[in-house]
Short mmCIF file of all heavy atoms in Angstrom, two decimals:
data_model
loop_
_atom_site.label_atom_id
_atom_site.label_comp_id
_atom_site.label_asym_id
_atom_site.label_seq_id
_atom_site.Cartn_x
_atom_site.Cartn_y
_atom_site.Cartn_z
N LEU A 36 35.72 12.30 28.79
CA LEU A 36 36.07 11.42 29.84
C LEU A 36 34.85 10.68 30.39
O LEU A 36 34.82 9.48 30.57
CB LEU A 36 36.75 12.18 30.96
CG LEU A 36 37.26 11.42 32.16
CD1 LEU A 36 38.27 10.29 31.76
CD2 LEU A 36 37.82 12.28 33.27
N ARG A 62 14.69 -17.50 18.85
CA ARG A 62 13.56 -18.30 19.25
C ARG A 62 12.22 -17.65 18.83
O ARG A 62 11.27 -18.38 18.41
CB ARG A 62 13.51 -18.45 20.83
CG ARG A 62 14.74 -19.13 21.38
CD ARG A 62 15.04 -20.50 20.81
NE ARG A 62 16.21 -21.16 21.41
CZ ARG A 62 17.42 -21.04 21.11
NH1 ARG A 62 17.72 -20.15 20.09
NH2 ARG A 62 18.42 -21.65 21.71
N ASP A 79 -5.41 -23.54 7.21
CA ASP A 79 -6.10 -23.00 6.06
C ASP A 79 -6.18 -24.08 4.95
O ASP A 79 -7.21 -24.17 4.27
CB ASP A 79 -5.36 -21.76 5.55
CG ASP A 79 -5.52 -20.58 6.50
OD1 ASP A 79 -6.51 -20.61 7.23
OD2 ASP A 79 -4.73 -19.65 6.35
N GLN A 146 -8.35 -35.99 -5.94
CA GLN A 146 -9.03 -35.23 -7.00
C GLN A 146 -9.06 -35.98 -8.34
O GLN A 146 -10.02 -35.94 -9.05
CB GLN A 146 -8.30 -33.88 -7.15
CG GLN A 146 -8.48 -32.97 -5.93
CD GLN A 146 -7.41 -31.91 -5.91
OE1 GLN A 146 -6.54 -31.83 -6.69
NE2 GLN A 146 -7.55 -30.96 -4.91
N ARG A 180 -1.20 -35.61 10.83
CA ARG A 180 0.23 -35.88 11.16
C ARG A 180 1.04 -34.59 11.07
O ARG A 180 1.86 -34.36 11.91
CB ARG A 180 0.70 -36.96 10.23
CG ARG A 180 2.15 -37.29 10.43
CD ARG A 180 2.59 -38.39 9.49
NE ARG A 180 4.06 -38.63 9.59
CZ ARG A 180 4.69 -39.53 8.86
NH1 ARG A 180 4.07 -40.27 7.94
NH2 ARG A 180 6.02 -39.66 9.04
N ALA A 183 0.14 -32.28 13.91
CA ALA A 183 0.67 -32.80 15.18
C ALA A 183 2.18 -32.46 15.32
O ALA A 183 2.64 -32.09 16.38
CB ALA A 183 0.42 -34.25 15.34
N LEU A 213 24.78 -1.50 35.82
CA LEU A 213 26.10 -0.87 35.36
C LEU A 213 25.90 0.47 34.78
O LEU A 213 26.58 1.43 35.09
CB LEU A 213 26.68 -1.83 34.38
CG LEU A 213 27.32 -3.20 34.88
CD1 LEU A 213 27.84 -3.99 33.69
CD2 LEU A 213 28.38 -2.89 35.89
N SER A 284 4.90 38.47 6.17
CA SER A 284 4.58 38.95 4.79
C SER A 284 4.04 37.78 3.99
O SER A 284 3.05 37.98 3.25
CB SER A 284 5.86 39.52 4.13
OG SER A 284 5.65 39.86 2.80
N ALA A 351 -25.17 17.18 -31.44
CA ALA A 351 -25.78 17.43 -30.14
C ALA A 351 -25.53 16.31 -29.17
O ALA A 351 -25.25 16.55 -27.95
CB ALA A 351 -27.32 17.68 -30.32
N HIS A 372 -17.61 10.39 -0.55
CA HIS A 372 -17.65 8.89 -0.34
C HIS A 372 -16.47 8.52 0.57
O HIS A 372 -15.33 8.85 0.24
CB HIS A 372 -17.57 8.17 -1.65
CG HIS A 372 -18.69 8.54 -2.56
ND1 HIS A 372 -19.94 8.13 -2.36
CD2 HIS A 372 -18.61 9.23 -3.71
CE1 HIS A 372 -20.70 8.61 -3.34
NE2 HIS A 372 -19.92 9.25 -4.19
N GLU A 402 -8.51 -12.28 -18.62
CA GLU A 402 -7.88 -13.07 -17.61
C GLU A 402 -7.54 -12.23 -16.42
O GLU A 402 -6.97 -11.17 -16.54
CB GLU A 402 -6.55 -13.68 -18.15
CG GLU A 402 -6.80 -14.51 -19.38
CD GLU A 402 -5.40 -14.97 -20.00
OE1 GLU A 402 -4.39 -14.56 -19.48
OE2 GLU A 402 -5.44 -15.76 -20.98
N LEU A 423 -10.16 0.77 -18.63
CA LEU A 423 -9.05 0.03 -19.17
C LEU A 423 -9.50 -1.19 -20.00
O LEU A 423 -8.97 -1.49 -21.12
CB LEU A 423 -8.05 -0.50 -18.07
CG LEU A 423 -7.35 0.61 -17.31
CD1 LEU A 423 -6.47 0.07 -16.19
CD2 LEU A 423 -6.48 1.44 -18.20
N ASP A 441 -3.22 -8.00 -13.96
CA ASP A 441 -2.26 -8.66 -13.09
C ASP A 441 -1.86 -7.65 -11.99
O ASP A 441 -2.10 -6.47 -11.98
CB ASP A 441 -1.01 -9.18 -13.81
CG ASP A 441 -0.37 -10.33 -13.16
OD1 ASP A 441 -0.69 -10.56 -11.92
OD2 ASP A 441 0.47 -10.99 -13.77
N GLU A 445 5.24 -4.25 -4.69
CA GLU A 445 6.57 -3.54 -4.73
C GLU A 445 6.77 -2.91 -3.35
O GLU A 445 5.93 -3.14 -2.44
CB GLU A 445 6.58 -2.45 -5.82
CG GLU A 445 6.41 -3.06 -7.23
CD GLU A 445 7.63 -3.69 -7.68
OE1 GLU A 445 8.71 -3.47 -7.06
OE2 GLU A 445 7.62 -4.44 -8.68
N GLY A 457 -3.72 -5.58 -28.58
CA GLY A 457 -4.40 -4.75 -29.51
C GLY A 457 -3.40 -4.02 -30.43
O GLY A 457 -2.32 -4.48 -30.67
N LEU A 518 -1.18 1.45 -6.45
CA LEU A 518 -2.10 1.80 -5.39
C LEU A 518 -1.41 1.48 -4.08
O LEU A 518 -0.62 0.49 -3.99
CB LEU A 518 -3.36 0.96 -5.48
CG LEU A 518 -4.24 1.35 -6.69
CD1 LEU A 518 -5.42 0.37 -6.72
CD2 LEU A 518 -4.76 2.80 -6.61
#
Side-chain angles (χ1 to χ4, degrees):
L36 180 62
R62 302 302 185 274
D79 291 340
Q146 292 163 355
R180 178 178 175 181
L213 289 175
S284 177
H372 303 290
E402 302 174 356
L423 294 178
D441 205 344
E445 296 287 345
L518 291 173

